Amino acid sequence: MNQLPPEIGPTTEAVLKLSQRITPDTADEVRHLTLDVLDSGFQFVAGQSVGVVVPGPHPFGNSHHVRRYSIANGQESSAGATLDILVRRCFYLDEVSGERYPGIASNYLCDARPGDRFTLSGPYLSPFRMPQNDDANLLMIGTGTGIAPFRAFVQHIYEHQGGWRGQVRLYYGGRSGLDLMYANDEISDLANYYDDKTFKAFRALGTRPLTTSSQALAQGLADHAAETWQLINEPDTHVFLSGLGKVAQVFDRVMAEQAGSPETWQQLKRHLIEDGRWSELMYD
């Protein structure tokens, strides 16, 4: 491998332990990857991300390509660490030629097989600010693979911290039940961690075949808008948004209706931001 440019920062090696498709063949491909990090000094906290370094050459003369992925779950040991990430296989259309090109990192990861080695950069600081007070309420809103950091949060607060006394709400939009990769279900992953006294996940499913995940999220939020509005007005509530940029637009629209006007909602939102109780991680 060519020497990595200094802006990538420190790197470590990892081995792909497991790659499992968690969506059906009729839907966009999303894979759950488990990586064994080989560095015993590698440390991370819930909500952080790692960069996957894809060796080149790449378009525009780039020798390497780096794409960050949120850590969906992880466990440290004396030998290193084990990380889970969610990867959606992506393709892009050239606006001029109309040609379809594969996303560099997503296809690199989705095509990998157990035993393959990767170079990771990071971990990187998370934009999410988790409150220290376990009486705080957590309101999490996301779509697609944006649910990954929320999965890590839920596992952390219920498994590692021994519970969370504040109310925890997860709103997650999907086009079908199979899109809801880690929603609250008896056989789901989160069922091993949540506390049914404080945690609730609301599956925002699209009711029409062409419903997007953002439209489904809007539908789910609208169904529980009054409770969400009450929770967001409590002084110890922290809001987390993750996923496509439309997530923020959807949430703004639903909350503006509850507030009575967009201006009233934006005023409350500014207060949450200034108070350090608003965090978001958006991607295109």
Side-chain angles (χ1 to χ4, degrees):
M1 179 182 291
N2 297 330
Q3 184 176 1
L4 297 177
E7 60 267 20
I8 291 180
T11 60
T12 188
E13 297 301 307
V15 175
L16 180 61
K17 181 178 181 180
L18 176 68
S19 177
Q20 179 183 10
R21 179 167 181 152
I22 56 176
T23 52
D25 292 339
T26 55
D28 291 345
E29 181 180 359
V30 177
R31 303 193 74 87
H32 175 173
L33 273 60
T34 300
L35 308 175
D36 282 336
V37 180
L38 306 178
D39 182 2
S40 59
F42 185 86
Q43 295 181 326
F44 64 94
V45 297
Q48 285 189 312
S49 62
V50 292
V52 176
V53 182
V54 185
H58 295 298
F60 308 108
N62 295 328
S63 61
H64 296 86
H65 176 82
V66 181
R67 172 73 159 81
R68 294 188 187 185
Y69 292 92
S70 295
I71 299 172
N73 183 31
Q75 184 175 359
E76 297 174 354
S77 70
S78 58
T82 300
L83 308 177
D84 290 343
I85 61 175
L86 299 180
V87 181
R88 182 183 299 274
R89 189 186 291 271
C90 297
F91 295 90
Y92 303 94
L93 288 178
D94 186 291
E95 296 181 357
V96 178
S97 67
E99 292 188 51
R100 186 171 182 257
Y101 296 98
I104 295 174
S106 69
N107 282 268
Y108 174 71
L109 290 169
C110 287
D111 290 339
R113 296 291 180 265
D116 288 353
R117 289 183 171 241
F118 301 121
T119 298
L120 304 181
S121 61
Y124 299 99
L125 293 176
S126 171
F128 292 140
R129 306 180 187 91
M130 286 297 290
Q132 299 299 315
N133 177 16
D134 60 11
D135 288 320
N137 303 314
L138 309 180
L139 180 59
M140 300 176 286
I141 303 102
T143 59
T145 54
I147 199 173
F150 298 152
R151 181 195 183 207
F153 285 166
V154 172
Q155 291 187 355
H156 177 72
I157 65 179
Y158 288 124
E159 181 182 44
H160 301 296
Q161 292 195 197
W164 193 267
R165 291 192 291 268
Q167 295 300 303
V168 181
R169 298 291 182 268
L170 169 61
Y171 290 90
Y172 178 51
R175 288 177 291 185
S176 71
L178 291 169
D179 286 342
L180 302 182
M181 293 168 283
Y182 295 109
N184 182 15
D185 191 285
E186 289 183 354
I187 60 173
S188 75
D189 183 83
L190 284 180
N192 297 316
Y193 301 98
Y194 72 80
D195 182 336
D196 58 9
K197 294 180 181 178
T198 59
F199 175 77
K200 291 182 182 178
F202 297 97
R203 305 179 221 175
L205 290 177
T207 57
R208 299 184 304 276
L210 297 180
T211 301
T212 67
S213 58
S214 295
Q215 290 170 333
L217 177 63
Q219 173 187 318
L221 283 170
D223 291 342
H224 303 278
E227 179 187 1
T228 304
W229 178 248
Q230 179 180 355
L231 192 67
I232 209 169
N233 276 279
E234 294 186 10
D236 288 331
T237 295
H238 293 247
V239 180
F240 304 90
L241 277 74
S242 180
L244 295 172
K246 290 183 179 179
V247 171
Q249 299 174 17
V250 167
F251 192 60
D252 282 344
R253 184 168 66 252
V254 175
M255 289 298 98
E257 292 176 358
Q258 287 295 305
S261 71
E263 293 75 19
T264 302
W265 161 239
Q266 288 301 322
Q267 183 177 1
L268 175 57
K269 182 177 177 179
R270 283 194 298 271
H271 175 70
L272 290 166
I273 295 172
E274 293 169 357
D275 204 28
R277 294 189 289 124
W278 181 282
S279 306
E280 59 182 57
L281 176 60
M282 299 298 165
Y283 50 85
D284 296 331

